[in-house]
Amino acid sequence: MDTGILHSILDNDFYKFTMQHGVVKLFPKARARYQFINRGKHAFPLGFAEALRKEVDAMAGLKLTIEEKKFLADACPYLDPTYLDFLQGYCYNPKEVVIEQQGEDVQIFIEGYWYRTILWEVPLLCLVSELFYKFQDTERVPDETVIETTKDKIEKFKALEIKVAEFGTRRRHSYQVHRMVMETLCRYGKPSFVGTSNVHFAMINQVKPIGTHAHEWFMFHAAKYGFKMANTMALEHWVDVYRGDLGIALSDTYTSTSFFRQFDKKFAKLFDGVRHDSADPVDFAKQTIDHYRSLGINPMSKTIIFSDALNYDKVNRIASYCAGKIGMSFGIGTNLTNDVGLKPMNIVIKMTEALPEDGEWTPVVKLSDERGKYTGEESMIALAKSVLHIN
């Protein structure tokens, strides 16, 4: 088994770096724990944990290069020079990751300072996915088919006259497939194709890195400030760090209904829009449009980023509804980077506990609009639902 699948520290989703920047500024002593969740109940072959361990150990050698630092400074002026200096000195510590295998079950645990451990999730999922297919020894479709399929997809999206970004890092088939998909999107996608969540491929292809924050940003704030204040404090701190840049707010950490109760006129005006990540997208669009209108804000001045398991039919349905009502853009992930004739994996890594500087280890939860995406301890989920009056 070859080692060293990952070749760049920037081969990660952009929101991991933007959140890390915020954590370094605001919560440098906070600690976090994460856990791998095998949603698809995939059976891992014997020896998988050992192979993954080798890849994780190899990541200790990844360093931000001078060229990569310059790219971030030029493309992302809202990232402080002090943060870029920090990132240049950062290296993965494999000791923060525990990997265990019993039979066909693999478990992964991460623990350490939040500002450090925040970068593990996406590359670990990439490695799990790529190694899984290598162990299966399954043949994907030829390169020509990958390129042709991607070209066909982006041509169809262009016909809808919408904006599309590539969001497929974490469950990609492989680095090689991801690279071909990105090259194809850049070659044939303009003007619809607007960028990627993967910073490494954004740099290589000279496109915009796209992303703001993830559920863990809000989950940590619940551990520090309580469920009632989690959304509000998470949004306040985001504004404190970015002062108007990176203005797309994630809405469904504790259900969108709860989010919109706290997304008042101040936040609705400060943020450029919201991101949809669970449940019916058209229902969410209606809810968002109604919310903006109730605050006297023209929905056409705002944007929804749709990013939940998108394919052409789903995008077409959403675009048909939103046209002329609200701005929209689409982050398409696995459908682009793992459409190679094999079943994509259904895997995630989620924060499970947080330790704020002035607190104690606290279990954290996520209450998506889609109940099947809930994560966390049952007792804590029940508490959150009670506090936030969620049925």
Side-chain angles (χ1 to χ4, degrees), residues 259-270:
F259 173 86
F260 281 123
R261 287 193 203 114
Q262 293 159 310
F263 198 63
D264 59 12
K265 182 173 280 193
K266 171 187 170 180
F267 290 134
K269 286 195 168 186
L270 280 174

Side-chain angles (χ1 to χ4, degrees), residues 341-355:
L342 306 171
K343 185 178 180 180
M345 299 192 79
N346 186 2
I347 51 176
V348 295
I349 290 175
K350 290 295 177 185
M351 181 187 282
T352 55
E353 294 179 83
L355 175 60

